[in-house]
Amino acid sequence: MADQFYGVTDTGKERKNNEDTFIAQATADGKFIIACVIDGVGGYSGGEVAARLAREAILQRLTKPTGEFIPIMIDCFNQANQKILDEKKQVKEHDSMACVATLTLIDIEHNQFYYAHVGDTRLYLLRDNSLVKISHDQSFVGFLEESGRVNEAEAMAHPKRNEINKALGFEANLVKDSEYIETGQSPFLPGDMLLLCSDGLSDMVTSADITTIITHSSSSLKDKGTQLIDAANAKGGKDNITVVLAKNDKQALKHNATMPAASEKKKDQPIVIDPVKASTPITHQENQEPTPQKSNGWIVTLLVLLTLVFLAGNVWQYLQNKQTTMVVAEAVPPADSKPLGELEIKLQNAINNLKGNVLLLADTAYAAPINISRAIQVKRDTLFIKTKGKIELVADSVYKGTAFSLNGQCKLIMLDSLSVKNFKTGVIAYNNALLLKNVRFNNCVVAVQNLFTIAGNKFVSGDLHTFRADSIPMTNKQN
């Protein structure tokens, strides 16, 4: 696991002691990476004690992580919370101590990471040089920033930026409040990087500057971590600064578009077909037969045989996929559907023409509900759709299809704080590529239809993950 993870902490320029701590190590069996940042709260000694107790509890619980990962991580926080509460009862000087923490458990073999979060430490995902904040700051200023009321610079300078709403050590029993701990999971693809940090970094260094530092290709994780600490100190170092980096150092797969041999064209074709192409009839270009030469008669015969094999393979594949085509064909509208509306054209073009991976939809640009008369197509490797204000997609009165149709090649698509209304199917997705946050499905027959592309004649193993329904939006939980 050389250069797969690295952690560093620094006291900063103004503090006398360091109330931060971190975890950056592999589990005993070497199957997982534990990455965690803990920021202590509560005075000169109390914060340090709370952070240390939380670290010990987490490592003890993750000695052998088996079973469902999210419940294990929630249990880590509950055990840490109890240790802090016990210490507060025994030592009067520590009665105000607590800590905030962000914990990730990374399954490199299966390209997944799982996280649990309380407070205002942060978790970022870097993919294709785009940095996306995964965790939500559980603070008043965090709520203001994520809801669009203040920008990043204003949040960093806000006088209440250090006031938190949730922490380990605040509540007697976290299990009773299932909304207290933010949890989730996401694909962690070859080349991806995770950044966990305390607010000593995020309050001093902008996300743009952080991105510049950690995308420096020639730097090791140690160098990147050191540069982030130096950047925060250069801006004043007003708090303790802690950084943990973890990288999936597998070779990123890149395929060149090549024409396979006719006899191999349909080998290991996925059983589930792309909904975008589901209703498109199979067509073949007519090959012009070359003028036969006396010495090339065997070539003509071979070409004829290959053509017959090619056509037979296509007919067989069509018959195999016929039932699946009927399931997902609703994603494509009939040819005589009415013209697209202005807002749905605008949304589709915004997705198609996006340069990076993050699309921000503001209600100033989409003031009215977006009337959908055919599925919004997503054909990107990675896309994060976030919103400012109320954004709602509503099915046209005569449209009976889906709101979003994700291409089978999508690897990570996140929809954040959208409303989807009156659709037969809210989202058609493939292969665990979909991540939802604060998405509401109103009057949808099926909220999410998740399809899996699996090569034929193979042994299949794995499990299916589910979405969790929340009674309160995530942003309001932080208020």
Side-chain angles (χ1 to χ4, degrees):
M1 289 192 177
D3 203 35
Q4 277 191 296
F5 55 84
Y6 177 75
V8 60
T9 186
D10 188 82
T11 304
K13 295 282 190 178
E14 296 188 1
R15 297 291 183 92
K16 299 292 185 182
N17 66 315
N18 193 343
E19 296 180 317
D20 287 2
T21 189
F22 68 89
I23 303 170
Q25 64 184 61
T27 55
D29 56 11
K31 294 182 178 180
F32 305 95
I33 295 173
I34 308 170
C36 181
V37 167
I38 307 169
D39 186 351
V41 180
Y44 187 82
S45 60
E48 288 185 27
V49 173
R52 175 177 56 80
L53 291 173
R55 185 179 189 276
E56 292 172 356
I58 291 169
L59 285 175
Q60 183 177 7
R61 181 63 182 85
L62 292 180
T63 301
K64 294 180 179 180
T66 57
E68 294 292 330
F69 298 120
I70 295 298
I72 289 174
M73 300 173 78
I74 292 174
D75 194 37
C76 286
F77 277 10
N78 275 284
Q79 292 190 23
N81 186 66
Q82 191 58 52
K83 279 196 170 188
I84 295 170
L85 292 174
D86 292 344
E87 176 72 14
K88 290 170 73 171
K89 291 178 181 178
Q90 295 176 14
V91 182
K92 186 178 180 180
E93 291 79 8
H94 296 164
D95 60 357
S96 62
M97 75 177 185
C99 68
V100 295
T102 301
L103 168 66
T104 62
L105 189 62
I106 304 168
D107 185 349
I108 292 292
E109 180 182 355
H110 298 100
N111 298 321
Q112 288 279 322
F113 73 88
Y114 305 81
Y115 69 92
H117 165 76
V118 170
D120 63 352
T121 46
R122 290 186 176 181
L123 170 63
Y124 292 92
L125 171 66
L126 180 77
R127 175 174 294 167
D128 297 330
N129 294 329
S130 292
L131 188 68
V132 178
K133 185 161 76 75
I134 300 297
S135 61
H136 293 263
D137 293 348
Q138 295 171 335
S139 65
F140 174 68
V141 175
F143 168 73
L144 293 179
E145 182 179 2
E146 293 186 2
S147 62
R149 290 166 172 82
V150 298
N151 59 32
E152 182 183 29
E154 291 168 336
M156 292 170 69
H158 200 285
K160 294 186 177 182
R161 66 186 181 277
N162 298 125
E163 295 182 9
I164 54 176
N165 297 331
K166 298 178 182 179
L168 301 179
F170 276 7
E171 301 289 338
N173 193 338
L174 302 187
V175 174
K176 292 181 179 179
D177 183 0
S178 60
E179 311 302 334
Y180 201 91
I181 302 172
E182 179 189 350
T183 61
Q185 72 178 85
S186 175
F188 191 49
L189 305 179
D192 285 358
M193 186 186 301
L194 292 180
L195 164 66
L196 296 81
C197 66
S198 63
D199 60 349
L201 177 72
S202 56
D203 281 352
M204 294 287 103
V205 186
T206 66
S207 57
D209 289 340
I210 291 174
T211 304
T212 299
I213 292 171
I214 64 177
T215 53
H216 197 279
S217 59
S218 63
S219 300
S220 64
L221 292 187
K222 181 178 180 179
D223 290 339
K224 296 177 194 295
T226 301
Q227 291 168 24
L228 289 171
I229 297 291
D230 292 344
N233 279 325
K235 295 291 182 66
K238 296 180 180 180
D239 199 353
N240 307 144
I241 313 156
T242 302
V243 170
V244 171
L245 294 164
K247 184 177 182 180
N248 188 337
D249 62 356
K250 294 179 183 176
Q251 184 67 35
L253 298 178
K254 294 183 179 180
H255 302 285
N256 293 325
T258 58
M259 179 69 74
S263 60
E264 299 179 357
K265 186 170 183 64
K266 293 298 176 178
K267 187 177 180 180
D268 288 340
Q269 183 74 14
I271 293 173
V272 180
I273 66 174
D274 188 343
V276 178
K277 301 176 182 176
S279 62
T280 304
I282 298 175
T283 60
H284 305 286
Q285 290 184 343
E286 233 178 292
N287 293 324
Q288 292 185 347
E289 188 174 300
T291 303
Q293 303 292 329
K294 287 184 179 180
S295 60
N296 293 335
W298 65 273
I299 297 179
V300 175
T301 303
L302 179 61
L303 287 174
V304 171
L305 289 175
L306 289 176
T307 301
L308 290 174
V309 171
F310 176 76
L311 291 173
N314 275 280
V315 171
W316 179 87
Q317 186 64 42
Y318 174 78
L319 293 174
Q320 291 295 313
N321 288 341
K322 188 174 181 181
Q323 283 189 325
T324 304
T325 303
M326 294 174 63
V327 173
V328 299
E330 64 175 23
V332 181
D336 59 350
S337 60
K338 71 178 188 179
L340 299 179
E342 179 182 351
L343 289 182
E344 64 178 322
I345 293 174
K346 183 176 181 179
L347 175 57
Q348 185 67 72
N349 288 340
I351 293 173
N352 294 344
N353 300 327
L354 185 67
K355 298 300 182 184
N357 293 328
V358 182
L359 175 61
L360 182 61
L361 304 179
D363 57 4
T364 53
Y366 297 88
I370 305 172
N371 192 63
I372 301 297
S373 57
R374 71 182 66 173
I376 299 297
Q377 304 292 334
V378 180
K379 305 176 183 179
R380 302 172 60 92
D381 178 283
T382 305
L383 177 64
F384 299 88
I385 299 181
K386 294 176 173 286
T387 67
K388 284 189 176 182
K390 183 179 180 181
I391 302 294
E392 185 176 48
L393 277 66
V394 180
D396 186 80
S397 58
V398 298
Y399 179 56
K400 304 300 181 184
T402 184
F404 285 97
S405 177
L406 277 54
N407 184 275
Q409 302 304 312
C410 294
K411 294 179 181 177
L412 177 57
I413 308 298
M414 183 177 77
L415 306 180
D416 190 346
S417 303
L418 289 168
S419 290
V420 180
K421 185 177 180 180
N422 297 340
F423 291 91
K424 186 174 181 181
T425 305
V427 184
I428 290 179
Y430 283 81
N431 302 332
N432 289 329
L434 181 63
L435 177 63
L436 299 179
K437 286 192 176 182
N438 298 341
V439 176
R440 299 187 69 182
F441 296 96
N442 298 321
N443 195 33
C444 292
V445 179
V446 177
V448 176
Q449 183 180 8
N450 202 36
L451 308 174
F452 293 84
T453 55
I454 301 172
N457 196 30
K458 299 290 183 180
F459 296 103
V460 179
S461 303
D463 56 11
L464 302 181
H465 302 287
T466 59
F467 294 106
R468 182 187 68 196
D470 293 329
S471 58
I472 303 174
M474 230 177 243
T475 51
N476 287 347
K477 294 173 196 171
Q478 302 160 14
N479 196 355

